[in-house]
Amino acid sequence: MGQPTNIDTADQADKLHRRGLLFILSSPSGAGKTTLSHMLLKQDGEIKLSISATTRPPRPGEIDGVHYRFISDAQFDQMVEEDDFYEWAPVFDYRYGTPKGEIRNGLKEGQDFLFDIDWQGTQQLYQKDQQDVVSVFILPPSLNELRRRLEARAQDSDEVIDSRMDRARAEISHWAEYDYVVINDNVDECFDRVREVLDAERMRRTRQTGLIPFVRELMG
């Protein structure tokens, strides 16, 4: 009889309620952030992509509420005034931001959210909700390899690639502001390391909101 009780206790511990987290992946263009994000969303059912609001009109094939939340400039202004964004920034002629409402409700229910944002967005998010943020910066194995990857895309001119490389150097200079830094010399190995970070952070004691009642019951 004692052994089944231990098994039941272990099963219950695995299902203890926890608070969700805001999982940030950042990297310079070409270092693998987007690929890793897609892999994570495909293989981990407990995390979902944070959907940004934007004043940009939808492109062909984009669906409101799936790819972005498309709102007017007036709506965006109102949300800024009411402090309804975790973070927001202008990008070219439009603005993008992360709404608070759905995310805050999700965190309470143990939902994890993935953010594909740069160091500036990471700083804003950290300032608004420090306790829930876990940030990971993805480094390329070398700048030469980063340039090779950008050239292999065959999407940009040499001038555009030069500009991306300049921006990459600026972004890499902020590596020390992140909780974790992972070098992407092999995408599968890099993904395994990112998953290890996520799994460990999910088990952090301060996020296990069901531990106190569980331990009280355990101790009788």
Side-chain angles (χ1 to χ4, degrees):
M1 294 296 291
Q3 186 174 354
T5 301
N6 290 338
I7 293 174
D8 292 343
T9 301
D11 289 343
Q12 184 177 353
D14 287 341
K15 298 175 182 178
L16 287 178
H17 187 272
R18 67 174 178 85
R19 183 172 175 82
L21 54 83
L22 308 177
F23 195 65
I24 299 173
L25 288 181
S26 297
S27 79
S29 178
K33 171 184 60 177
T34 301
T35 298
L36 292 166
S37 295
H38 289 164
M39 292 172 70
L40 191 58
L41 291 168
K42 182 178 180 179
Q43 297 187 33
D44 193 316
E46 294 185 47
I47 194 167
K48 69 178 183 179
L49 186 65
S50 168
I51 301 175
S52 298
T54 180
T55 57
R56 173 175 68 74
R59 293 168 182 161
E62 289 185 331
I63 302 171
D64 183 41
V66 175
H67 298 94
Y68 287 96
R69 302 192 189 284
F70 298 100
I71 63 177
S72 67
D73 279 303
Q75 289 174 303
F76 202 100
D77 288 339
Q78 183 177 356
M79 292 181 72
V80 171
E81 290 176 5
E82 296 177 355
D83 194 29
D84 282 342
F85 287 120
Y86 274 114
E87 55 85 25
W88 70 272
V91 181
F92 298 110
D93 296 327
Y94 304 105
R95 290 176 291 173
Y96 295 78
T98 302
K100 289 180 180 178
E102 178 184 351
I103 291 177
R104 283 190 167 170
N105 291 334
L107 290 174
K108 294 177 183 178
E109 299 301 319
Q111 175 67 58
D112 300 324
F113 293 91
L114 175 64
F115 290 79
D116 179 349
I117 55 179
D118 64 10
W119 66 271
Q120 292 172 310
T122 298
Q123 285 185 335
Q124 290 187 51
L125 199 60
Y126 192 79
Q127 290 168 1
K128 291 288 181 69
D129 200 346
Q130 178 177 341
Q131 67 170 340
D132 296 318
V133 172
V134 177
S135 59
V136 181
F137 194 83
I138 308 299
L139 284 173
S142 69
L143 288 181
N144 287 338
E145 172 61 16
L146 182 63
R147 186 177 188 94
R148 187 198 67 77
R149 293 176 186 177
L150 292 174
E151 291 173 344
R153 293 177 178 179
Q155 296 177 344
D156 301 314
S157 66
D158 289 341
E159 291 77 11
V160 171
I161 290 176
D162 287 341
S163 176
R164 290 187 183 276
M165 290 299 298
D166 289 339
R167 182 172 180 179
R169 291 183 180 90
E171 291 173 339
I172 290 172
S173 70
H174 293 276
W175 67 271
E177 299 166 19
Y178 285 74
D179 298 319
Y180 300 89
V181 178
V182 181
I183 299 173
N184 184 14
D185 48 356
N186 176 286
V187 68
D188 291 323
E189 293 178 2
C190 182
F191 177 69
D192 288 342
R193 291 192 288 269
V194 169
R195 282 295 304 269
E196 289 171 0
V197 169
L198 179 57
D199 289 341
E201 286 290 341
R202 283 171 169 165
M203 293 302 297
R204 188 178 288 274
R205 177 182 55 79
T206 53
R207 291 199 175 93
Q208 303 297 310
T209 55
L211 270 177
I212 292 177
F214 174 77
V215 172
R216 284 175 177 167
E217 181 179 353
L218 188 68
M219 300 299 289

